[in-house]
Amino acid sequence: QVQLVESGGGLVQTGGSLRLSCAGSGSTFSSDTMGWFRQAPGKEREFVAAISWSGGSTYYADSMKGRFTITRDNAKNTGYLQIDSLNPEDTAVYYCAADKEFPVTSRYDYDYWGQGTQVTVST
């Protein structure tokens, strides 16, 4: 069993940056793939990025390449999503998730989810 708790969201101006955190607990977090998704109001939950258990491999959705950086620190049981050059279209609830496989881009394949953290980008 893996529990995930996101933090780091908030209100930020266009052009700003945020680093989201995902604190994991449970016996397998450090051996699981970690993924980030986001869901804007009225839209489907979409894949952002995934990172392998070791941190040695990453995978990004094509539309997310360049401004998003996924990392993890297994010593702290924490994963991160750095978002730069934020714009209003990035406004969404951001979720982290864990799974055994890599890369996993479908939200239906992830076994564990956090509760999400809200990111709001103002103009």
Side-chain angles (χ1 to χ4, degrees), residues 2 28-34 51-53 72 98-100:
V2 174
T28 65
F29 177 77
S30 61
S31 62
D32 287 342
T33 288
M34 186 188 71
I51 188 167
S52 62
W53 70 270
R72 69 189 297 164
D99 191 71
K100 294 299 182 186

Side-chain angles (χ1 to χ4, degrees), residues 53-112:
W53 70 270
S54 67
S57 297
T58 58
Y59 187 86
Y60 295 89
D62 287 343
S63 61
M64 309 297 175
K65 292 178 181 177
R67 297 190 298 116
F68 294 79
T69 305
I70 188 171
T71 58
R72 69 189 297 164
D73 184 344
N74 285 342
K76 296 181 179 180
N77 272 358
T78 302
Y80 305 97
L81 183 69
Q82 176 75 30
I83 315 173
D84 297 317
S85 301
L86 282 154
N87 60 70
E89 288 69 40
D90 295 318
T91 295
V93 178
Y94 285 73
Y95 299 89
C96 67
D99 191 71
K100 294 299 182 186
E101 304 296 325
F102 178 84
V104 181
T105 62
S106 170
R107 65 185 188 270
Y108 300 110
D109 292 333
Y110 277 84
D111 296 324
Y112 303 103

